[in-house]
Amino acid sequence: MHAADLSSNFFALFDLPVSFDIELDALSARYRDAQRAAHPDKFANAPEGERRLSVQMAARINEAYRVLKDPLSRGRYLLELHGVALDDSDTAFDGAFLMEQMELRERLADVKNSADPVSQLRIIADDIAAHDKSLITQMADLLNEASAESLQQARNVSRKLQFFRRLNEEVEALEDELGDY
Amino acid sequence: MALLQISEPGQTAAPHQHKLAAGIDLGTTNSLVATVRSGKAEILPDVEGMHLLPSVVRYCETGAPQVGAIAKQSAISDPRNTISSVKRYVGRGLADICKGCSRSEYEFVDSDSSVPRIRTVAGDISPVEVSAEILKNLKLRAEETLGGELTGVVITVPAYFDDAQRQSTKDAAQLAGLQVLRLLNEPTAAAVAYGLDKGSEGVHVIYDLGGGTFDISILRLNRGVFEVMSTAGNTALGGDDLDRIIAQWLIQQAGLDPSALSAGQMRATLLEACRAKEALSDAEVVGVSLSVTDGSVADDAVWQGELTRTQLYELIDPLIQKTLSSCRRALRDAGIDVDEIEDVVMVGGSTRSPRVRELVGEFFHCEPMVDIDPDKVVAAGAAIQADILVGNKPDDEMLLLDVIPLSLGIEIMGGLVEKIISRNTTIPSAKAQDFTTFKDGQTALAVHVVQGERELVSDCRSLARFELRGIPPMVAGNARIRVTFQVDADGLLSVTAREQISGVESTVQVKPSFGLTDGEIETMLRESMSHAQEDIAARMLREQQVEADRIIESVESAIVADAQLLSAEERSQIDVALSELRKMRDGDDPRKIKQAIEALNTASTDFAARRMDASIQSAMTGHKVDEF
């Protein structure tokens, strides 16, 4: 056994099967117990070398939890484990998706001029959330099928999800602006 | 009956001996020190029985600075040399400080150092040194009360403090001769003090409005683990600002010209504003008066008027609304609805204001919790954490998982920020991102580390700049420069840049642009030690011996517990390093001890890593039994 064992993959770190469908409660419980064993607070009196090691290990556990907790990052992580390249920007999106994006962006740009920008923004945010949810379901099915073709499709879905996430960030930035945070 | 063991005088005491630890709330207006005695957190009073130490330091022409109530008395008569609310300036550049208040009460000097200094009769003083005086006072109070040297302390900081402010706080502790076990976020400390670990599972909100800072933290509690989900706030908004806005109103009502007021008059007006604010907690209307004497009028010229509660609310509501905007954002970042919240804990002296309680209660649809004195709750929580970290409660299940409050990133082409670690990421955290060169043959890369949420570098806080040199000339875009950010459990950042092809590397422990340099701290330390007549060499030797004992004990007990994880070869290497260190430890050369420590560390690192892996795996195995 060697230290490298735990870095093999994030699922193995929490002793979970490599699969999109994970019990979030089980993941959280395992995460907390892993931190109980590795967190720097448990090594406050340890020699410096061990303290450093504990910082690295705790950081890795945090990263693993962050990636597995969110369905999109979990999905993309699974694609990576399947050897599907994620960086390509050559994804061809269907016309319907592109139209939808354009329409949402136009609505977002108009928010500030509307009579009630806060509720307009709320409506757009809800639309984005609905799209997000349905795309996650699609991605889950494709990942579970795990054929070469379905993995490629899952990758395309994950790219679409990224567009929605980015749009959501813009919604939040605008929310901050309107709310004078 | 088993006989009790007593160690020989001067020998290392038993490993489970109770160690002295304290929690320190280094506040904008008041500071406190607390410790755990007989299982309970207690705030330690001074000889006169006062718990709160006013965070005020007065510098005198001769002798040591005055700290606390005695210094506060001089706030009006000697305003330039009496520094209060220094926390507002810690880790800040001159431009930031001047932006915060239209008219500063102090004379700031722009020195050679990046840290601004305040001009006093005792010389130019940096905010870090002022903080250190407050910490020294609390250290002395704790050590006299507890009858021994403190092994370590936990110091609280606003959750929304950035890297520079955190680092400066740690620097102040170093100057005060304190061993910092952890910097702990104030709201998290309050959650600990409320004993939320004792069975109140679920989502809790900590609303912390102090003298100069505002923090909101949303945390989830699960079997003793405090998991901070999000935090938001404002490090330049607090009770002081409420006073300031009331003071402005008073000045306006009295028909005074604000720019003509002396520093002493300004202080007096602020005190009157604070008094009126507090009186309006009970009364509907309160009489107010201001001395309008500026030398030109008779001595007894006094303006008198009144302030109603309605008028007060009109003045302070916009500021309270600002805190609620932060609450809204924290809820969103945590992905939580108001209705999922169990309770709201009120922290900080400014939450005594009935108006604050009323508006916060309305916002969160619940009655805010105010059971523990809002001034004392943070120090109490810090004491509990210090007691655990120092090793007095080895079996305690409590664990605090906190987050970084603001995103960390680096500057890319066009003055834009590329975020590397996003805000509300749980710490410790490590992330790497690859960058490349912009020009053909580029051999150096300037790394500019910033903190903040905005897209433009100019809108974020500049944390540090460093250069990666010696990159072999390549075509633009061919180099692979991996920049790694690591944030430790104190929320402090270190950055490494490494060219992947050539292996050229550059590392910085981020020393903030507005922080003291190591050299400056060393000079200050030397000066303070010559005052205390402590021998630096003796201190260095003792520090190395403590670290040597620590690693010897740790490795020995690891071998006893997990010898099966060691190969014979490794075991013999560790044994050699151990006996060498034992020999050096009893010598008097701190450098040799340090070398021997490093040798033992190198020999035992793999072993330590394997033990850590094994303990995580065994924690996971427990789940298999539970869940299936």
Side-chain angles (χ1 to χ4, degrees), chain A residues 33 36 41 50 62 175 181, chain B residues 182 325 332 397 428 554 623:
Chain A
D33 281 347
R36 270 192 229 273
D41 280 4
E50 278 181 51
N62 280 333
E175 235 169 51
Y181 289 120
Chain B
R182 184 73 69 239
S325 296
R332 188 192 66 200
E397 286 282 274
S554 165
H623 277 285

Side-chain angles (χ1 to χ4, degrees), chain B residues 242-383:
Chain B
L242 303 186
D243 295 348
R244 225 173 281 258
I245 207 158
I246 300 165
Q248 279 167 11
W249 183 84
L250 290 174
I251 291 166
Q252 195 195 356
Q253 294 294 306
L256 295 173
D257 173 10
S259 60
L261 290 181
S262 70
Q265 270 179 308
M266 195 67 206
R267 287 289 181 96
T269 313
L270 283 169
L271 289 176
E272 178 66 357
C274 182
R275 188 194 64 80
K277 177 188 73 180
E278 283 170 9
L280 285 171
S281 296
D282 299 317
E284 284 293 332
V285 59
V286 60
V288 284
S289 63
L290 274 195
S291 157
V292 292
T293 309
D294 57 0
S296 64
V297 204
D299 273 0
D300 55 353
V302 168
W303 167 83
Q304 288 191 314
E306 59 182 31
L307 178 60
T308 64
R309 196 183 274 179
T310 317
Q311 179 65 47
L312 173 77
Y313 288 179
E314 223 169 88
L315 290 170
I316 65 174
D317 276 5
L319 292 181
I320 303 172
Q321 287 300 340
K322 265 193 179 175
T323 69
L324 297 180
S325 296
S326 296
C327 293
R328 211 168 288 129
R329 169 162 152 182
L331 282 171
R332 188 192 66 200
D333 284 359
I336 287 285
D337 275 339
V338 168
D339 302 327
E340 295 174 61
I341 286 162
E342 297 289 316
D343 45 44
V344 180
V345 171
M346 300 295 262
V347 185
S350 306
T351 59
R352 284 214 177 76
S353 156
R355 185 58 168 174
V356 171
R357 289 183 184 177
E358 187 186 334
L359 294 182
V360 171
E362 268 173 31
F363 182 87
F364 287 107
H365 311 167
C366 66
E367 192 65 33
M369 279 176 36
V370 290
D371 312 6
I372 306 184
D373 183 340
D375 281 323
K376 296 180 179 163
V377 62
V378 167

Side-chain angles (χ1 to χ4, degrees), chain B residues 113-131:
Chain B
S113 158
S114 55
V115 179
R117 313 276 158 141
I118 302 164
R119 178 145 291 164
T120 75
V121 285
D124 297 345
I125 309 286
S126 71
V128 170
E129 290 165 280
V130 180
S131 296

